[in-house]
Amino acid sequence: MDPLEDVLALLAPTSRVSSRLSAGGRWALRFPPPAGAKFNAVRRGRCWLRVDGLPDPVRLAEGDCFLLARPRAFTLASDPDLPAEPAQPVFAAAVDGVARAGDGDEVLLVGGAFSFAERARALLLDSLPPVIHVPAGTPEATAVRRAVGEIDDELRRRPVGATLVAEHLALVMLIRILRLHLAHDGGGRSGWLAGLADPAVGAALRAMHDRPAHPWTVAELARAAAVSRSTLAARFKEVVGKGPLEYLTEWRIELAADRIRRGGETLATIARSVGYGSESALSVAFKRTTGRTPRAYRAELTRPG
């Protein structure tokens, strides 16, 4: 199994493509912090991106795009030092799917947002930098630019099913941006996502995701990764920030919690499916990891409000 596919399947990402933004002259729009993740792509012209908490603005050129992975307010502008107006009224006044800012149409942007199920920040978004900038000039960005172009084409022509197609293309773009991040920056950060960029750690992660209920040992994972036990233990701890068996326990609990949320299965069945021999064994691990028992977690889900 592919751990990235596993996590995205668990988080059930959905996308929402917003109106395109046409801007010119002197303009600046301030956007509220996204609940999940936010993307924008420059189809024409140039502008600046300033994100709260980051010291320097980012220059966006034609063909560039970015993914904002933190709940931080941000500004898109012709000049990063201009005072910004709220973006929401501008987009609320959009005509034929195009919001307009400033005076003219030198700049055209396509944007949207990604929403995720519970635990997205802990499982995925916190593993990413606040902003992933994909410059148009990089050869690897071709696939991302292609997806953006198709999204823009759907929004501009508005054929039957355009919104649905654009939203599915946005999810494809999300995966391609994550691939680019892994290829170029994954080794510079910690967490399971960074582990995918490491040959030994990535092999161990794939083995655990392939068979999460298997009674893995560090020695067995090391054989799957073709390294020594001590090398895997040290490398996994360095890259992911925890030991391989600790990671395995946490992933099993994530899987168990997901099945509890879905409903329809007994806790004993869920326990066996994720590698625990009994409901009581799952309960001990679940409480140690989350601070509550599976029964308490299920009760919280069914409690009114």
Side-chain angles (χ1 to χ4, degrees):
M1 293 293 290
D2 181 338
L4 180 57
E5 288 184 10
D6 278 357
V7 171
L8 288 176
L10 198 69
L11 297 180
T14 57
S15 63
R16 179 180 55 80
V17 179
S18 64
S19 297
R20 296 184 296 161
L21 173 64
S22 178
R26 292 169 58 81
W27 62 276
L29 296 179
R30 183 158 177 83
F31 295 79
K38 171 79 177 178
F39 79 90
N40 273 104
V42 183
R43 296 291 291 158
R44 181 175 65 242
R46 297 173 178 269
C47 64
W48 289 91
L49 165 69
R50 183 177 285 282
V51 179
D52 284 10
L54 299 186
D56 301 313
V58 177
R59 179 67 159 162
L60 299 174
E62 184 172 313
D64 286 12
C65 72
F66 71 88
L67 179 73
L68 181 68
R70 294 284 192 280
R72 299 183 182 184
F74 66 99
T75 299
L76 292 169
S78 60
D79 182 331
D81 296 323
L82 283 176
E85 63 176 310
Q88 194 278 331
V90 173
F91 278 83
V95 177
D96 295 329
V98 180
R100 300 190 179 276
D103 182 19
D105 59 357
E106 295 97 343
V107 182
L108 180 67
L109 295 103
V110 175
F114 299 104
S115 300
F116 302 89
E118 183 182 349
R119 298 279 296 157
R121 197 143 299 282
L123 284 177
L124 177 64
L125 299 180
D126 284 348
S127 299
L128 300 172
V131 177
I132 299 176
H133 176 208
V134 183
T138 55
E140 298 86 356
T142 302
V144 175
R145 292 200 306 274
R146 186 181 304 118
V148 171
E150 291 174 345
I151 292 169
D152 188 31
D153 187 57
E154 291 290 330
L155 295 177
R156 179 173 48 82
R157 295 190 303 109
R158 289 288 173 182
V160 174
T163 299
L164 183 61
V165 171
E167 289 173 351
H168 281 281
L169 288 168
L171 292 175
V172 171
M173 191 188 72
L174 171 64
I175 294 170
R176 286 173 171 164
I177 290 175
L178 294 177
R179 283 179 183 169
L180 288 175
H181 169 66
L182 285 173
H184 292 278
D185 303 310
R189 301 185 63 81
S190 62
W192 71 270
L193 196 58
L196 292 180
D198 182 278
V201 175
L205 283 168
R206 286 189 290 274
M208 287 186 279
H209 279 255
D210 185 36
R211 292 191 293 163
H214 182 74
W216 291 104
T217 64
V218 177
E220 193 174 6
L221 289 169
R223 286 194 295 273
V227 296
S228 69
R229 182 186 184 281
S230 59
T231 296
L232 177 65
R235 187 65 183 154
F236 205 102
K237 178 75 172 178
E238 177 186 356
V239 176
V240 180
K242 61 193 68 173
L245 298 187
E246 182 183 358
Y247 174 87
L248 176 61
T249 296
E250 292 182 0
W251 178 242
R252 285 172 169 173
I253 297 307
E254 293 291 351
L255 292 175
D258 179 63
R259 295 179 79 141
I260 292 171
R261 289 193 297 271
R262 293 173 186 271
E265 293 182 284
T266 67
L267 292 178
T269 300
I270 293 173
R272 289 191 296 270
S273 72
V274 298
Y276 293 97
S278 65
E279 180 183 333
S280 61
L282 171 64
S283 183
V284 170
F286 200 100
K287 186 172 183 178
R288 186 171 62 244
T289 303
T290 69
R292 51 198 165 175
T293 66
R295 290 186 180 278
Y297 181 67
R298 174 172 279 171
E300 288 178 13
L301 295 174
T302 57
R303 187 177 303 144

